């Protein structure tokens, strides 16, 4: 038995570890840069938050101070709920991911190197010189990579950028003996012709890497008023302006020529190799990053919203449900008898005195004939939770309030709690019954008490009664319905399941319980299961709102 328990524990730990690794991968690794602050913070959270959950689960049973239990309970249990809905949302995202990768825009998002992936965008000035620019309308000559280049030919002025934005003059070779003529702002710099003079303030012909110039220039009509250059009819020539230093990593490549849209000729002047498909690869990476972040953000929003809604549902208190149950043996005088059924209040480090007060007020507003508290009142000792249970003194019903133990009482000191609720004005039914006008009311201990020799005893509670009278049984867990059928019980009132508490928990609860919530019939016995008024673990309910049920008994003779 011990080996089986250890194997189950290891399987659960392994499952939780795998789930948390998956969450870290999708929410942190796939969406953040290595070594960045976000990556480090997400990784720390992926370790710390599960530890708070583990601490919240074991703190009470380990006898930790109640203040520590409360400090661990809120983050630990809320994270447990978030893990559930984050995982479900991300699994839905896995189905959508291939579709999103196809339809997501190829541009507009930020690339992995921090630059824009929009087609036609120009790289920033400090981009690597060998990085391609995929700009529409820019001729991509052999070796040019589609970018402005740096001239290393003789006669080029050192450090002169061969772009209109960075130049105010142009040095155009005019053949042997060509003279330098003052230029106009915005002209391009061309160099490399024999005999071309250097820019003022620079040495003669230079081939140093980093000089920004073009090896040749096309002939264009001279600007109005500009001087003609001998030997170059109709060509405007101006000297280059010196003093513009070349910065490492600026656009261009040594020996390249500027790519000018609309120019009749764009000579291939760069020998720098290009990387085929580099732009497409970058856009593909940017698209994957965009989709990963979109799915992570969407999953987080859904999970946080769901958990927030579920927590608000619990903290608002239970709503009142009403159900009518006809009993064949119920006499006419008992027709309309109302029993307020409440279960699974779960006072503990999260739900305290204010929660008890909300439950008591909801019950008293129904003005019941009898109140039945069917187990799992507490998750802690009388010493820690006695003050939280104090509002139960205010319960009011014409035929009194009754209590049976649930499995959580046996985790919290059942004998002490049975004595304490008696002090609060509730009558415990420990495998016993009482006669009420029109029917018998019986109660049995929870099956968890078997380990302490205090399990349910149906023979003691129901064995010697008059079966001609209608009977109502209080039993925490629905699984004892078959014992109730064997003992001729007309109606069993139970809790325990929480209705699943958090969807899809109802599917799991259905595997272990004959009825998860509501009224069902088993032979001649009817079983009603309330969803309970509180919550265990995460103070969250999704798809299973808390309730107090008013069961109205109906006589067929009425």
């Amino acid at each position: 038995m011990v080996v089986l328990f250890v194997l189950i524990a290891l399987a659960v730990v392994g499952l939780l570890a795998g789930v948390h690794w998956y969450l870290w991968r999708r929410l942190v690794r796939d969406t953040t840069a290595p070594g960045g602050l976000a990556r480090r913070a997400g990784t720390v959270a992926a370790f710390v938050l599960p530890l708070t959950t583990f601490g919240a689960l074991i703190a009470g049973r380990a006898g930790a101070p109640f203040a520590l239990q409360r400090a661990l309970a809120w983050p630990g249990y809320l994270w447990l709920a978030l893990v559930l809905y984050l995982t479900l949302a991300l699994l839905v995202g896995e189905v959508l991911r291939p579709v999103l990768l196809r339809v997501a825009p190829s541009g507009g998002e930020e690339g992995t190197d921090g630059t824009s992936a929009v087609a036609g965008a120009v790289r920033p000035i400090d981009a690597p010189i060998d990085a391609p620019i995929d700009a529409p309308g820019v001729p991509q000559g052999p070796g040019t990579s589609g970018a402005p280049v740096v001239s290393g030919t003789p006669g080029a002025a050192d450090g002169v950028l061969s772009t209109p934005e960075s130049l105010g003059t142009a040095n155009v070779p005019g053949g042997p003996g060509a003279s330098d003529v003052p230029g106009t702002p915005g002209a391009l710099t061309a160099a490399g012709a024999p005999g071309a003079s250097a820019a003022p303030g620079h040495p003669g012909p230079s081939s140093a890497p980093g000089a920004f110039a073009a090896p040749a220039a096309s002939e264009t009509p001279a600007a109005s008023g500009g001087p003609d250059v001998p030997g170059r009819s109709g060509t405007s020539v101006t000297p280059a302006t010196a003093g513009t230093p070349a910065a490492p990593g600026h656009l261009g490549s040594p020996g390249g020529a500027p790519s000018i849209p609309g120019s009749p000729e764009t000579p291939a002047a760069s020998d720098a190799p290009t990387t085929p498909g580099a732009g497409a690869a970058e856009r593909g990476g940017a698209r994957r990053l965009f989709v990963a972040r979109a799915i992570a953000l969407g999953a987080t929003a859904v999970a946080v919203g769901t958990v927030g809604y579920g927590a608000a549902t619990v903290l608002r208190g239970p709503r009142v449900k009403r159900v009518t149950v006809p009993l064949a043996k119920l006499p006419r005088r008992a027709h309309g008898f109302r029993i307020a059924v409440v279960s699974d209040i779960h006072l503990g480090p999260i739900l305290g005195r204010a929660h008890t007060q909300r439950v008591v007020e909801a019950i008293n507003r129904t003005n019941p004939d009898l109140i039945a508290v069917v187990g799992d009142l507490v998750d802690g000792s009388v010493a820690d939770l006695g003050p939280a249970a104090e509002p139960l003194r205010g319960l009011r019903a014409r035929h009194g309030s009754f209590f049976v133990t649930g499995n959580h009482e046996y985790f919290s000191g059942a004998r002490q709690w049975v004595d304490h609720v008696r002090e609060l004005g509730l009558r415990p039914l420990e495998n016993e019954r009482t006669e009420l006008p029109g029917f018998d009311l019986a109660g049995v201990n929870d099956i968890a008490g078997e380990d302490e020799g205090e399990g349910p005893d149906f023979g003691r509670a129901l064995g010697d009664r008059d079966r001609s009278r209608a009977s109502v049984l209080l039993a925490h867990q629905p699984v004892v319905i078959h014992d109730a059928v064997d003992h001729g019980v007309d109606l069993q009132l139970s809790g325990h399941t929480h209705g699943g508490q958090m969807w899809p928990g109802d599917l799991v609860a259905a595997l272990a319980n004959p009825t998860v919530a509501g009224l069902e019939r088993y032979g001649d016995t009817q079983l009603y299961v309330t969803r309970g008024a509180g919550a265990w673990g995460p103070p969250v309910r999704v798809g299973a709102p808390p309730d107090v049920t008013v069961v109205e008994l109906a006589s067929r003779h009425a």
Side-chain angles (χ1 to χ4, degrees):
M1 189 67 179
V2 175
V3 174
L4 178 62
F5 176 79
V6 171
L7 290 176
I8 293 175
L10 290 175
V12 171
V13 171
L15 176 63
L16 290 175
V19 167
H20 279 84
W21 177 85
Y22 171 72
L23 293 179
W24 173 84
R25 176 188 173 191
R26 286 309 191 196
L27 298 178
V28 180
R29 193 196 72 175
D30 290 356
T31 62
T32 59
L37 178 61
R39 172 74 62 88
R40 292 196 297 269
T43 301
V44 170
F47 280 95
V48 172
L49 289 172
L51 292 179
T52 64
T53 300
F54 180 74
L57 290 170
I58 69 170
R61 298 189 184 185
F66 192 63
L68 178 60
Q69 295 180 43
R70 297 182 68 179
L72 291 172
W74 277 104
Y77 286 132
L78 286 177
W79 173 245
L80 192 61
L82 281 170
V83 165
L84 172 62
Y85 290 110
L86 279 171
T87 303
L88 292 176
L90 286 172
L91 290 177
V92 173
E94 298 297 346
V95 177
L96 299 177
R97 191 181 302 270
V99 178
L100 294 177
L101 285 172
R102 286 181 174 273
V103 302
S106 61
E109 64 270 16
E110 185 179 283
T112 55
D113 60 353
T115 62
S116 173
V118 178
V122 179
R123 289 191 180 278
I125 195 65
D126 57 350
I129 61 174
D130 60 346
I133 297 178
D134 298 324
V138 180
Q140 304 293 313
T144 63
S145 300
V149 294
V150 181
S151 173
T153 58
D158 295 339
V160 180
L161 178 64
S162 57
T163 60
E165 292 81 6
S166 60
L167 294 176
T169 57
N171 183 20
V172 182
S179 62
D180 294 341
V181 183
T184 60
L188 294 174
T189 304
S197 61
H202 284 269
S206 170
S207 60
F212 289 76
S218 61
E219 295 183 1
T220 58
S224 176
D228 291 335
V229 180
R232 290 279 182 173
S233 175
T235 303
S236 176
V237 182
T238 56
T241 302
T244 306
H250 280 201
L251 290 173
S253 57
S259 298
I260 306 172
S263 296
E265 297 180 11
T266 305
S270 174
D271 294 330
T274 62
T275 304
E282 178 181 315
R283 288 192 298 274
R287 183 185 292 111
R288 287 191 295 273
L289 179 63
F290 174 79
V291 170
R293 287 176 173 175
I295 292 175
L297 181 61
T300 301
V302 168
V304 171
T306 302
V307 171
Y309 167 79
T313 300
V314 171
L315 297 178
R316 277 197 305 264
R319 66 183 186 181
V320 175
K321 293 183 60 178
R322 298 180 185 273
V323 59
T324 299
V325 181
L327 299 180
K329 300 176 185 177
L330 189 71
R332 183 173 183 177
R333 70 177 184 276
H335 178 75
F337 192 97
R338 287 171 291 118
I339 304 174
V341 183
V342 63
S343 175
D344 301 280
I345 297 175
H346 284 289
L347 301 180
I350 291 181
L351 301 176
R353 187 185 181 103
H355 176 63
T356 310
Q357 188 63 45
R358 288 190 293 267
V359 173
V360 169
E361 291 173 356
I363 293 173
N364 287 343
R365 282 195 298 268
T366 68
N367 192 26
D369 296 306
L370 181 147
I371 298 170
V373 181
V374 288
D376 279 6
L377 172 64
V378 293
D379 284 308
S381 67
V382 172
D384 290 334
L385 298 175
E390 191 66 23
L392 293 175
R393 291 185 187 276
L395 289 173
R396 297 289 180 265
R398 185 156 57 101
H399 291 281
S401 302
F402 294 84
F403 171 80
V404 293
T405 57
N407 54 311
H408 282 250
E409 271 73 55
Y410 292 97
F411 305 149
S412 307
R415 177 50 47 197
Q416 290 79 12
W417 275 111
V418 167
D419 294 339
H420 190 67
V421 297
R422 184 179 285 112
E423 294 174 3
L424 295 175
L426 284 77
R427 177 181 172 181
L429 292 176
E430 298 182 88
N431 298 323
E432 58 184 298
R433 74 175 182 275
T434 185
E435 291 187 2
L436 295 172
F439 66 96
D440 294 336
L441 180 69
V444 292
N445 294 343
D446 187 71
I447 57 178
E450 292 176 345
D451 293 338
E452 300 180 15
E454 298 182 1
D457 189 337
F458 290 89
R460 179 181 166 188
L462 299 164
D464 57 349
R465 73 178 190 85
D466 181 2
R467 290 204 175 194
S468 66
R469 286 171 55 86
S471 60
V472 176
L473 174 68
L474 308 183
H476 177 63
Q477 298 196 39
V479 293
V480 301
I481 182 61
H482 302 294
D483 293 290
V485 172
D486 293 341
H487 287 82
V489 171
D490 295 286
L491 173 63
Q492 175 179 319
L493 301 176
S494 298
H496 182 65
T497 66
H498 298 206
Q501 184 166 326
M502 296 187 301
W503 183 89
D506 56 320
L507 303 179
V508 178
L511 299 176
N513 297 277
T515 298
V516 175
L519 182 66
E520 291 186 357
R521 177 178 289 275
Y522 295 83
D524 293 331
T525 302
Q526 297 180 78
L527 169 64
Y528 181 79
V529 180
T530 174
R531 292 187 177 96
W536 180 82
V540 176
R541 279 181 174 264
V542 178
D547 68 61
V548 169
T549 302
V550 177
V551 175
E552 183 172 336
L553 305 181
S555 172
R556 294 182 178 176
H557 306 290

